[in-house]
Amino acid sequence: MGLFDKLAGWLGLKKKEVHVLCLGLDNSGKTTIINKLKPSNAQTQDIVPTIGFIYLSRCLTCQVKADTETCGNITTNIKHRRIPILFFANKMDLRDAVSSVKVSQLLSLENIKDKPWHICASDALKGEGLQEGVDWLQGNKQAEQYMKVSRRTGSPSSG
Ligand SMILES: Nc1nc2c(ncn2[C@@H]2O[C@H](COP(=O)(O)OP(=O)(O)OP(=O)(O)O)[C@@H](O)[C@H]2O)c(=O)[nH]1
Ligand SMILES: [Mg+2]
């Protein structure tokens, strides 16, 4: 079972479609991360530079190559939606890799105030750090669902 399947199971989304947008700079490891999130029997050993979009079963995942301007545009488009954003500071195994804290500072993530975000250091080749990201998404989604139910039932909830 891949991490996407586990996530879908935990979220009770087995029969729903989960949309995940994966974007990052060229050669940053997007395809490797997505590949690792698939069930082991569906993973490929042969990852080549991606041109355009790729789609996964059950989860619609699109890989977009993005520079900071594109990132800015996307951020603007999702401005009014409380969509969780998970950052992977990938290739942490490289000797000159900077820490996830430093990446967070360089991207000024502390300025994102209106949606939940999280950053994980990852080594997509080994799959390290990916589980932490999925765990965070799961926790975040459950909290969101709890808040929706709480609002409906009038039981204690947060903003
Ligand atoms: N050392 C190291 N190499 C990695 C890691 N993740 C990916 N790579 C390697 O980096 C290269 C690019 O990985 P891809 O997954 O193709 O990157 P991408 O972002 O999808 O690249 P494009 O589709 O060309 O934009 C490949 O040679 C991967 O094996 C990592 O965590 N550590
Ligand atoms: Mg790719």
Side-chain angles (χ1 to χ4, degrees):
M1 188 185 270
L3 291 181
F4 268 144
D5 285 321
K6 283 186 193 157
L7 178 62
W10 289 327
L11 300 179
L13 296 176
K14 274 284 178 200
K15 291 179 184 160
K16 291 184 189 167
E17 196 174 57
V18 178
H19 291 203
V20 179
L21 174 65
C22 178
L23 64 119
L25 296 173
D26 281 1
N27 201 43
S28 54
K30 301 175 292 298
T31 302
T32 308
I33 289 173
I34 291 168
N35 188 48
K36 277 284 179 201
L37 294 175
K38 291 157 80 175
S40 51
N41 61 358
Q43 290 179 15
T44 177
Q45 303 304 314
D46 186 24
I47 291 177
V48 293
T50 309
I51 299 167
F53 300 106
I54 57 170
Y55 295 91
L56 299 182
S57 60
R58 219 169 291 141
C59 301
L60 170 64
T61 302
C62 107
Q63 177 183 292
V64 181
K65 297 185 181 187
D67 52 23
T68 46
E69 190 186 343
T70 312
C71 283
N73 289 339
I74 289 169
T75 308
T76 306
N77 285 333
I78 62 172
K79 199 171 178 177
H80 301 294
R81 302 176 62 187
R82 202 179 172 280
I83 295 170
I85 308 177
L86 173 62
F87 295 89
F88 283 115
N90 196 39
K91 303 200 181 184
M92 276 297 153
D93 54 303
L94 296 183
R95 232 177 32 183
D96 57 349
V98 294
S99 70
S100 57
V101 172
K102 185 71 186 165
V103 172
S104 167
Q105 288 168 352
L106 290 169
L107 293 175
S108 304
L109 298 187
E110 75 278 4
N111 291 339
I112 304 175
K113 310 272 191 211
D114 58 341
K115 41 184 73 64
W117 61 268
H118 184 70
I119 184 164
C120 302
S122 65
D123 172 351
L125 290 182
K126 293 198 187 114
E128 289 173 4
L130 304 185
Q131 180 73 55
E132 181 195 327
V134 170
D135 288 347
W136 176 80
L137 278 177
Q138 178 210 358
N140 202 273
K141 196 72 193 166
Q142 281 177 346
E144 196 180 294
Q145 282 172 344
Y146 170 75
M147 283 189 278
K148 277 185 196 156
V149 171
S150 300
R151 282 196 198 101
R152 277 204 300 271
T153 60
S155 56
S157 67
S158 58

